[in-house]
Amino acid sequence: MNVLIIEDEVPAAEKLERYLKKYDTDIQVLDRLNSVKSSVQWLSHHQQQVELIFMDIQLLDGKSFEIFDQVKINTPIIFITAFDEYAIDAFKVNSIDYLLKPITFGDLSSSLEKLEQMKKDLGSNGNAVDINAVLSQLQQKSYKNRFMVKLGEHIKSITTDKIEFFFAEGRNVFLFTNENRKFIIDFKLEDLENMLDPQTFYRANRSFILNIEGIIDVVVYSNSRLKVIPRLDFDKEIIISREKVQAFKDWFSGLN
């Protein structure tokens, strides 16, 4: 597989190339670019040679999203970045995955395996793989699976299976883990709705997004509403309005 790396940090690009060779010695890195300008020039002439692009978001002369304004990219992309807040923008383009630095070999392997499996599925009849079909199907299944949070001077990555619910209070949004720890995150609930797997997470009201695994009971409440009992002991009630009861039931029963 031919790969292009767009990354302005030399150590990060070198580490990524080592991981790629470790994953598959047949992977060829055609070039390493570090700016929007050089990427636009390269892709304008050589994109047909590339099967996968690894792209940092913050480059020497701007954000990599500026590349898409100047050249049409028909190649799958895996974003690798330290900036968690750009996830939504990444998923609007040809994003296969969104990996947060520092990446691990396991992170990289999971992303490459996802792309390989989709190619196998779409090419199982012996026909050439339609890369647009790969992009379409992968993007439909691409949801954020971890969040970067700060713990004092430290940075921690929390996977979504460890999250009980998200709670908004004032201008702040908090993530609560299954260890009953609370972290503030730089997303609005409206943003999170588009980033999270709707089979697992549900926007209950203006204050809560719930993980179905974090619900231990649902009871009928006054005025035809529902009250959700979370697994965590929390001092705020989680109420499903009468207008949302049916939608909640559909989600809770797996119909949506």
Side-chain angles (χ1 to χ4, degrees):
M1 177 168 59
N2 292 334
V3 168
L4 174 66
I5 296 175
I6 301 176
E7 165 65 72
D8 67 331
E9 297 178 5
V10 174
E14 291 176 343
K15 177 182 179 181
L16 174 57
E17 189 164 354
R18 288 197 303 271
Y19 280 170
L20 288 168
K21 288 294 185 182
K22 180 179 178 181
Y23 181 83
D24 186 348
T25 56
D26 290 332
I27 290 178
Q28 298 295 319
V29 176
L30 299 184
D31 210 339
R32 294 192 341 216
L33 309 172
N34 61 8
S35 67
V36 172
K37 182 178 179 180
S38 62
S39 299
V40 170
Q41 292 175 342
W42 198 98
L43 289 165
S44 297
H45 296 91
H46 307 295
Q47 184 179 175
Q48 68 278 6
Q49 303 173 21
V50 184
E51 298 169 77
L52 179 63
I53 300 172
F54 287 88
M55 185 179 289
D56 190 9
I57 288 179
Q58 191 66 54
L59 302 175
L60 287 179
D61 55 352
K63 293 182 178 62
S64 58
F65 299 120
E66 297 172 30
I67 297 171
F68 299 88
D69 296 330
Q70 303 178 59
V71 61
K72 181 174 176 57
I73 299 180
N74 298 311
T75 305
I77 298 166
I78 294 176
F79 283 94
I80 299 178
T81 179
F83 299 95
D84 195 36
E85 64 267 28
Y86 296 115
I88 293 178
D89 291 327
F91 288 135
K92 291 178 181 177
V93 294
N94 297 355
S95 177
I96 300 304
D97 211 344
Y98 184 94
L99 305 180
L100 287 175
K101 295 178 180 178
I103 67 166
T104 67
F105 179 70
D107 293 333
L108 180 67
S109 298
S110 296
S111 294
L112 292 173
E113 287 168 3
K114 181 164 65 173
L115 177 59
E116 287 179 356
Q117 186 58 53
M118 186 60 68
K119 286 183 175 180
K120 288 178 182 178
D121 292 343
L122 294 174
S124 60
N125 294 326
N127 299 322
V129 176
D130 181 354
I131 196 61
N132 291 322
V134 172
L135 290 172
S136 176
Q137 293 199 25
L138 278 171
Q139 287 178 9
Q140 291 174 13
K141 297 180 180 180
S142 293
Y143 297 108
K144 191 166 176 60
N145 56 21
R146 57 189 166 275
F147 287 82
M148 184 178 68
V149 299
K150 292 182 180 179
L151 187 60
E153 297 299 318
H154 302 275
I155 294 175
K156 182 179 177 65
S157 180
I158 299 178
T159 55
T160 50
D161 62 312
K162 302 292 194 304
I163 298 172
E164 298 288 292
F165 55 80
F166 297 89
F167 172 65
E169 187 172 43
R171 295 185 177 182
N172 296 322
V173 174
F174 300 93
L175 173 161
F176 284 77
T177 73
N178 54 11
E179 297 177 341
N180 203 13
R181 304 187 71 177
K182 178 175 73 172
F183 300 95
I184 191 169
I185 57 174
D186 295 326
F187 296 103
K188 299 178 181 178
L189 291 190
E190 290 77 11
D191 297 332
L192 293 171
E193 281 188 274
N194 296 320
M195 299 163 61
L196 296 166
D197 185 349
Q199 297 297 314
T200 303
F201 290 91
Y202 182 78
R203 176 75 179 272
N205 51 42
R206 291 189 299 175
S207 300
F208 288 93
I209 292 180
L210 308 175
N211 184 339
I212 194 167
E213 299 296 333
I215 297 173
I216 60 170
D217 198 8
V218 179
V219 297
V220 177
Y221 201 58
S222 64
N223 198 23
S224 302
R225 297 178 295 170
L226 298 176
K227 181 177 180 179
V228 177
I229 311 299
R231 183 161 49 189
L232 292 183
D233 185 15
F234 194 59
D235 60 357
K236 304 287 185 181
E237 289 189 334
I238 305 175
I239 305 298
I240 308 296
S241 69
R242 182 172 53 186
E243 293 76 18
K244 295 192 68 172
V245 163
Q246 189 56 54
F248 175 83
K249 288 180 177 178
D250 289 344
W251 171 75
F252 201 56
S253 61
L255 293 179
N256 64 347

